[in-house]
Amino acid sequence: MWRLRKVVSGSHFSFSSALRIRSSFYQSRTFSYIAEGQRVDTSTTSKPSFIHPSAIVHPNAVIGEGVSIGPFCSVGSSAKLGSGCQLYPGSHVFGSTELGDNCTLMTGAVVGDEYPGCTVIGSNNIIGYHAVIGVKCQDLKYKPEDECFLEVGHNNDIREHTSIHRSSKLTDRTVIGDGNFIMGSCHIAHDCKIGNCNIFANNTLLAGHVEVEDYVHTAGATVVHQFCHLGSFSFLGGGSVVSQDVPKYMMVAGERAELRGLNLVGLTRRGFSVVEIGGLRTAYRKIFMCFDANAGSFEERLAEVEQHEELVNVPAVRDMLQSIRSSFMQDRRGICKFRHWNFS
């Protein structure tokens, strides 16, 4: 239940007024809230909130129960903080921003900005030291009067110095799913769509409009070109520059990333069966590693596997084939190059 903390009375709000409230407001631990038009005395609540006297919290901000706001933090007029949120010293919530329950902002973290649009963050998220989440995008087509949006799910660990930007236009939004581990100094640009349970190692950089499915793992210093798609359970090697799609279950590496086989380690860890992995390996070899010089073109080999009765009965193989096909649809970038074998 959202409750509105009245930090100061009157129409004026300033840093000096926030400092003056200590004796009359905090020492008594009696706070006034507004909920559905009624005033509630929180001296009887089991989880009182704490706001440090040096923090600047706008009187119109909505603060849940058990919130802790540390020294030198700021919370804007349109912000909503769910119950149990913790703002460490020097963290800030700006603009139309909503934090779900039990979110933590480490020192120096900045969430939201004052531009039109909003940032909505789910529950149980950790925003790391000096991370910048939900600010305006770095896109020349963006117009300051346009609304822009960021939606973040639940249980994400977003580490230090990471930047995640809002969308570039009203008709789109940047979306982060649930349970992602986004390590230090990563960048997720405007209009990206990130699924669930992904791991982005340090300095992973995603350009605008990139789509990442589920359980994708990038190694350090990976760069992904605009509009690329990364399929579920794929792995991107360290230092890779990915300029085309990575189909499901595959592994790529290289300064201009090439397919390097299946992500067998990842598939095993995620509980894929021996039958599924065997089917994927057979299908991959038939499509990408055919040593027969008379085997036909890539399209012919792909069509042959699609008609292979035994292989297409394996759901994982069907998913991989569909992922490859989708990469060649209109407005898609095709798949990363694969090594051409020497038949001599």
Side-chain angles (χ1 to χ4, degrees), residues 169 171-177 180 187-196 198 200 204-218 223-234 236 242-248 323 326-327 329-334:
K169 52 189 177 181
T171 56
D172 210 338
R173 59 197 62 233
T174 305
V175 178
I176 312 293
N180 296 289
H187 174 65
I188 299 176
H190 58 89
D191 307 297
C192 285
K193 305 292 187 295
I194 311 300
N196 305 317
N198 298 293
F200 299 157
T204 292
L205 309 178
L206 305 184
H209 304 278
V210 168
E211 294 192 18
V212 182
E213 296 181 4
D214 302 329
Y215 296 99
V216 174
H217 190 171
T218 71
V223 180
V224 183
H225 192 278
Q226 294 94 331
F227 294 98
C228 285
H229 290 233
L230 308 182
S232 297
F233 303 97
S234 59
L236 283 62
V242 179
S243 56
Q244 292 178 289
D245 292 359
V246 180
K248 285 184 176 182
S323 180
S326 298
S327 294
M329 295 174 63
Q330 187 176 5
D331 299 326
R332 294 282 292 270
R333 297 185 59 81

Side-chain angles (χ1 to χ4, degrees), residues 59-339:
N60 292 332
V62 179
I63 308 296
E65 292 183 349
V67 171
S68 174
I69 301 178
F72 307 109
C73 296
S74 61
V75 179
S77 61
S78 300
K80 296 181 179 181
L81 275 60
S83 298
C85 287
Q86 298 183 61
L87 274 61
Y88 278 64
S91 57
H92 307 277
V93 181
F94 295 126
S96 181
T97 297
E98 180 176 332
L99 298 181
D101 295 341
N102 302 310
C103 287
T104 301
L105 273 61
M106 305 305 293
T107 297
V110 176
V111 179
D113 65 19
E114 301 295 342
Y115 283 82
C118 65
T119 297
V120 178
I121 296 179
S123 301
N124 303 308
N125 292 291
I126 299 175
I127 311 297
Y129 299 94
H130 301 283
V132 180
I133 311 299
V135 298
K136 74 169 184 175
C137 64
Q138 299 174 152
D139 190 344
L140 293 178
K141 69 175 179 288
Y142 171 73
K143 299 177 182 178
E145 65 272 14
D146 289 346
E147 291 185 312
C148 51
F149 304 95
L150 168 65
E151 297 176 0
V152 178
H154 309 295
N155 304 307
N156 295 289
D157 189 355
I158 302 172
R159 294 300 298 269
E160 57 274 8
H161 300 286
T162 289
S163 58
I164 303 176
H165 291 171
R166 289 185 188 180
S167 62
S168 62
K169 52 189 177 181
L170 172 64
T171 56
D172 210 338
R173 59 197 62 233
T174 305
V175 178
I176 312 293
D178 302 331
N180 296 289
F181 184 20
I182 303 173
M183 298 185 194
S185 301
C186 290
H187 174 65
I188 299 176
H190 58 89
D191 307 297
C192 285
K193 305 292 187 295
I194 311 300
N196 305 317
C197 303
N198 298 293
I199 300 174
F200 299 157
N202 299 73
N203 296 295
T204 292
L205 309 178
L206 305 184
H209 304 278
V210 168
E211 294 192 18
V212 182
E213 296 181 4
D214 302 329
Y215 296 99
V216 174
H217 190 171
T218 71
T222 298
V223 180
V224 183
H225 192 278
Q226 294 94 331
F227 294 98
C228 285
H229 290 233
L230 308 182
S232 297
F233 303 97
S234 59
F235 178 84
L236 283 62
S240 299
V241 178
V242 179
S243 56
Q244 292 178 289
D245 292 359
V246 180
K248 285 184 176 182
Y249 314 124
M250 297 190 189
M251 179 170 58
V252 300
E255 189 276 330
R256 280 294 182 266
E258 296 181 345
L259 297 182
R260 300 295 177 89
L262 296 170
N263 179 22
L264 296 176
V265 172
L267 295 175
T268 302
R269 288 176 176 174
R270 293 299 174 186
F272 280 71
S273 68
V274 174
V275 173
E276 290 174 314
I277 293 177
L280 289 170
R281 295 182 72 172
T282 300
Y284 185 92
R285 287 169 178 160
K286 287 180 175 293
I287 297 170
F288 298 108
M289 299 178 63
C290 184
F291 292 94
D292 185 356
N294 300 317
S297 66
F298 168 78
E299 173 62 33
E300 291 171 338
R301 297 196 302 273
L302 180 60
E304 180 182 349
V305 173
E306 289 173 330
Q307 297 170 10
H308 194 290
E309 184 175 352
E310 182 178 351
L311 290 176
V312 297
N313 284 329
V314 180
V317 174
R318 292 200 303 270
D319 291 343
M320 184 182 76
L321 296 174
Q322 181 59 51
S323 180
I324 295 171
R325 282 291 184 193
S326 298
S327 294
F328 292 98
M329 295 174 63
Q330 187 176 5
D331 299 326
R332 294 282 292 270
R333 297 185 59 81
I335 64 174
C336 287
K337 306 301 182 185
F338 55 93
R339 189 169 298 176

